Amino acid sequence: MSNSSSISEFLLLPLADTRQLQLLHFWLLLGIYLAALLGNGLISTAVACDRHLHTPMYFFLLNLALLDLGCISTTLPKAMANALWDTRAISYTGCAAQLFFFVFFASAEFSLLTIMSYDRYVAICKPLHYRTLMDSRACATMAAAAWGAGILYSLLHTASTFSLPLCQGNVVNQFFCEIPQILKLSCSGSYLREFVLVIFSISLFFGCFVFIVVSYVQIFLAVLMMPSEQGRHKAFSTCLPHLAVVSLFLISASFAYLKPPSASSPSMDLMVAVLYSVVPPTLNPIIYSMRNREIKDAVRKVITKCVSKAVNFPSFGIHIM
């Protein structure tokens, strides 16, 4: 039987059995990765450069885009490299680092989504107190708290998971290192501490989810009482994208971590992992810009400026007299 002290590397789940399909998956993942980089990069640049977007809502959206970039950059590059070079191996240290950064970005993102729901609640239900409650110092403090909580939460989970003795080999049935798959490799009965930590985490996340739901119930009640149709449309255009992002993230992540072992299979686990680790960072920029004219205009300005700079870029040619 293997022990964690003798394991120097893990073997990740291959995306395909044949070389042709592996290369196809590589190009598919590359396209998804580039789309996520482009979308989140454009939103980050637009919010940072456009002074009209220097408001609490867009400040949190900038942080969300940065977290999405980190989250998808933790998993996809290694999966693409394995598919391209026809390998499955990831070092023990690399696996621990991947798990740490993924849990960090994912938990910080959920904390930020909770803060964003509070921001929308204050903006719509308490508009007269919005500038006081959501001033620049309060926004910076809340964003820093989300990032800091993500670091502490991830350190706790990573240290707990990799301190367990591993007796079930080194084959991880997932395309990246995630907690449920590492726990399956631990010795029987040795993962009680991590199981208790997972239960605590679920309770914490459920509390955040209840806070988000209560906030949005009050938001929708306030919106329905607005006399102006234009005001209702503007309120819905800022709230519905956030609610869609929260729902997508929570449903897929909850299914991944709470499904019974009898419902587990490599193909199902792979599909669910893609849903909560790859789809949200890729779709979030589209969801937030779809019904938001300010974001569309800011992104259009960024693209126009980049294109004009590329067209007017001086060419240094050698002219022979």
Side-chain angles (χ1 to χ4, degrees), residues 3 35 42 77 133 137 149 174 183 188 210 250 282 287 295 300:
N3 194 294
L42 282 174
L133 295 175
R137 178 177 292 183
Q174 192 53 271
L183 290 181
S188 177
V210 170
L250 276 181
T282 307
I287 293 173
I295 283 288
R300 193 177 296 115

Side-chain angles (χ1 to χ4, degrees):
M1 297 216 306
S2 301
N3 194 294
S4 56
S5 60
S6 63
I7 294 178
S8 60
E9 66 177 19
F10 293 95
L11 298 179
L12 299 176
L13 182 71
L15 295 176
D17 297 328
T18 64
R19 186 62 184 147
Q20 290 79 8
L21 285 177
Q22 284 181 339
L23 293 175
L24 178 63
H25 280 96
F26 165 77
W27 290 111
L28 178 62
L29 293 179
L30 179 62
I32 294 173
Y33 185 55
L34 292 177
L37 290 182
L38 180 63
N40 288 289
L42 282 174
I43 284 185
S44 301
T45 306
V47 174
C49 296
D50 194 330
R51 292 184 178 181
H52 296 94
L53 300 183
H54 290 179
T55 63
M57 183 179 77
Y58 294 112
F59 170 72
F60 293 132
L61 183 57
L62 169 62
N63 281 266
L64 182 67
L66 295 176
L67 289 171
D68 280 337
L69 284 173
C71 188
I72 200 166
S73 296
T74 302
T75 56
L76 280 198
K78 181 59 180 175
M80 288 188 295
N82 284 358
L84 181 61
W85 302 113
D86 191 19
T87 182
R88 299 173 55 191
I90 183 173
S91 66
Y92 187 92
T93 305
C95 184
Q98 190 179 58
L99 187 144
F100 169 80
F101 282 109
F102 179 76
V103 173
F104 160 53
F105 287 120
S107 57
E109 179 167 333
F110 187 66
S111 299
L112 190 68
L113 290 173
T114 306
I115 293 171
M116 292 173 74
S117 70
Y118 173 73
D119 170 68
R120 291 298 83 207
Y121 164 75
V122 176
I124 294 174
C125 299
K126 299 181 181 293
L128 298 179
H129 303 283
Y130 186 70
R131 291 184 179 274
T132 304
L133 295 175
M134 303 299 294
D135 60 1
S136 57
R137 178 177 292 183
C139 292
T141 301
M142 286 187 281
W147 288 77
I151 292 176
L152 292 176
Y153 181 81
S154 183
L155 277 173
L156 191 64
H157 266 297
T158 305
S160 177
T161 300
F162 282 90
S163 66
L164 299 174
L166 306 179
C167 304
Q168 308 297 327
N170 66 337
V171 179
V172 178
N173 288 321
Q174 192 53 271
F175 74 97
F176 68 97
C177 293
E178 66 170 0
I179 292 175
Q181 300 301 328
I182 300 296
L183 290 181
K184 289 181 181 180
L185 304 180
S186 62
C187 301
S188 177
S190 64
Y191 52 84
L192 180 61
R193 179 180 55 198
E194 176 62 21
F195 181 74
V196 171
L197 188 58
V198 168
I199 295 298
F200 170 76
S201 302
I202 292 171
S203 303
L204 188 63
F205 278 84
F206 182 74
C208 292
F209 175 70
V210 170
F211 178 85
I212 292 172
V213 170
V214 171
S215 297
Y216 271 96
V217 167
Q218 298 188 55
I219 287 171
F220 288 140
L221 289 176
V223 169
L224 292 175
M225 294 176 63
M226 289 181 178
S228 169
E229 184 177 349
Q230 184 178 0
R232 289 197 299 269
H233 180 269
K234 185 176 181 180
F236 278 125
S237 67
T238 59
C239 293
L240 291 180
H242 177 256
L243 195 58
V245 169
V246 171
S247 302
L248 177 64
F249 181 83
L250 276 181
I251 292 172
S252 55
S254 299
F255 185 77
Y257 284 86
L258 299 179
K259 67 180 184 300
S262 59
S264 179
S265 67
S267 58
M268 176 66 73
D269 292 343
L270 178 64
M271 182 181 68
V272 172
V274 168
L275 276 178
Y276 81 87
S277 66
V278 176
V279 174
T282 307
L283 290 185
N284 283 356
I286 300 174
I287 293 173
Y288 274 104
S289 61
M290 191 179 299
R291 295 173 59 89
N292 194 312
R293 185 175 295 277
E294 292 178 328
I295 283 288
K296 288 180 181 178
D297 293 341
V299 169
R300 193 177 296 115
K301 288 179 183 178
V302 171
I303 296 175
T304 303
K305 184 180 289 188
C306 292
V307 171
S308 62
K309 283 185 177 180
V311 171
N312 297 326
F313 190 79
S315 58
F316 300 96
I318 299 175
H319 302 280
I320 301 176
M321 300 298 292

